[in-house]
Structures are given as structure tokens and as C-alpha cells.
Amino acid sequence: IAVLPFDNFSPNPEDEYLSSGFTEVIIANLAKVKDLMVISRTSVMRYKNTDMSLKDIAKELNVANILEGSIQRTDRKIRVVGQLIEAKTDKHIWAETYDADFNDIFSIQTSIATEIASALKSQITESEKLVIEDKKTDNIEAYEMYLKVKELRREELYTSAKIRKELLKKIIGIDPQFAEAYALIALEYSEAVHYGFSENIEQSQKKAKVMIDKAFEL
């Protein structure tokens, strides 16, 4: 299966980070099902805004099924539309529309993964289900900021580094148990040293070590 980048149908074009983050989570969740072979995010991103047919995309990626969809946010409401298509026949195997509060985004992500696995007649073990249901954080504000940081990292690594660190510090302040946020800020300090834009190499190395140790501890 290949999960194509979800389209951003929100009135605000800046909500692109939401569709990108949502796509990444769906790919990660499906990859946790051992019965499924899931194409990586890196491989599918080149098909964002493409006019290629699904059949041609499936042929290039050597997959039988393609999941495509869209996400639309209006204030604190969210609509997610997903459809799973069998590439060879262009037949819909599964389709669903979710209308919910933005706070319910976690349950939508879980539902899509489990329903698709079921539609493809894949077995999900209890342990796999628990891993899929496991959330990075219970705090929706921290999660949204985390998605923004991830999108900024995709756009440009150097120019937004300071903004990303500030956002990550805010995230940790909101949810001190958010392990992924500590891991990501450790990466920020490490990359600053690696790519040569750290103002104080020794201090950056120390901060990276403190943050990654905390991430592992959590």
C-alpha cells in the first residue's frame, strides 16, 4: 500500500503542516501492521500535487493499493476524507468521511489504520493495536505545535532553527512527558553542530545529550 500526501482543503493555506503531519502518522500506523508492506513517506512525497493517474503511480511504486484523502480544518472542527483504491481495477475498497472536533484527530488516525487493515483482510494483533493507539502526547496544543516544527524542518533546516527550538521548548513546557519533543530538540542541537551553525559547539553538544537522555528516560 502507498499513502499519497493528503490534500489540504482548509481555508488557511498555512494549515499545510496539518495534512503533511497527518499523512506521516497514517503511514507510520499502517507500517506497524506486520501483514502490510507500506511505502515510505520519502517515496510518496514526490506525488504531491501530481496529475499522474493512480494506476501509473501504483506501477512506479509497485503497490496493489493506494490510499488518498484530504483534511479540512475550520476553527476547531476537522473533516478527514479517505479512500482506498485497488490500483489495477480502480475499484474503491474502502472510503470514509470523518467529521469531528479537532481534539479527536488521534482517534481518527487510529480508526483509519485499523479500518484499512481490516479492508485489506490483514490481521492486527493486540500488541499492534496498542502501538497504533499509543499517542505521542495527550495534549492537542502540544501536538499541533509538534506538527508545525516537523513541517518547518521539511521546508528549510537552517533559517527556521531558532523558531523550531523556541516551539519545542514551549511544547516541553506544556507537556513535560512528551518524549518525542525532547528527541527532536536534541536533534536540533546536534544538527547545529554537524552543519556548522552552532554559536557554541560545546554548549550545543551538552544540551543535545541532556535532551536525548531525557527522551530515552521517558
Side-chain angles (χ1 to χ4, degrees), residues 95-201:
E96 191 63 76
T97 299
Y98 301 88
D99 286 300
D101 290 330
F102 184 70
N103 289 12
D104 292 330
I105 192 168
F106 300 123
S107 60
I108 295 173
Q109 290 167 342
T110 300
S111 294
I112 289 176
T114 52
E115 287 175 27
I116 284 174
S118 176
L120 293 174
K121 297 180 171 56
S122 299
Q123 294 293 321
I124 297 185
T125 65
E126 274 305 310
S127 60
E128 287 169 347
K129 191 179 178 190
L130 285 172
V131 172
I132 289 171
E133 289 174 349
D134 189 35
K135 295 178 284 190
K136 289 180 170 66
T137 175
D138 289 316
N139 189 294
I140 196 70
E141 185 185 357
Y143 181 68
E144 191 174 354
M145 275 195 256
Y146 176 78
L147 292 183
K148 286 179 181 176
V149 171
K150 297 275 279 186
E151 185 68 10
L152 285 168
R153 286 178 56 79
R154 281 189 279 267
E155 289 172 359
E156 216 293 319
L157 203 59
Y158 174 68
T159 55
S160 66
K162 187 177 179 182
I163 297 168
R164 295 196 306 267
K165 282 198 196 85
E166 287 172 358
L167 280 171
L168 285 163
K169 286 172 185 174
K170 281 185 183 177
I171 292 168
I172 290 167
I174 294 168
D175 181 3
Q177 302 301 307
F178 196 161
E180 292 274 354
Y182 288 99
L184 203 50
I185 199 167
L187 191 59
E188 290 286 346
Y189 285 120
S190 298
E191 286 173 341
V193 174
H194 182 77
Y195 293 113
F197 52 84
S198 170
E199 294 176 1
N200 187 321
I201 291 175

Side-chain angles (χ1 to χ4, degrees), residues 72-108:
Q72 180 178 352
R73 177 183 178 177
T74 308
D75 297 323
R76 297 308 293 175
K77 294 290 183 182
I78 190 171
R79 165 172 281 198
V80 177
V81 178
Q83 49 187 6
L84 181 66
I85 297 160
E86 186 179 58
K88 187 169 65 175
T89 61
D90 209 28
K91 173 187 169 187
H92 280 70
I93 301 173
W94 170 90
E96 191 63 76
T97 299
Y98 301 88
D99 286 300
D101 290 330
F102 184 70
N103 289 12
D104 292 330
I105 192 168
F106 300 123
S107 60
I108 295 173

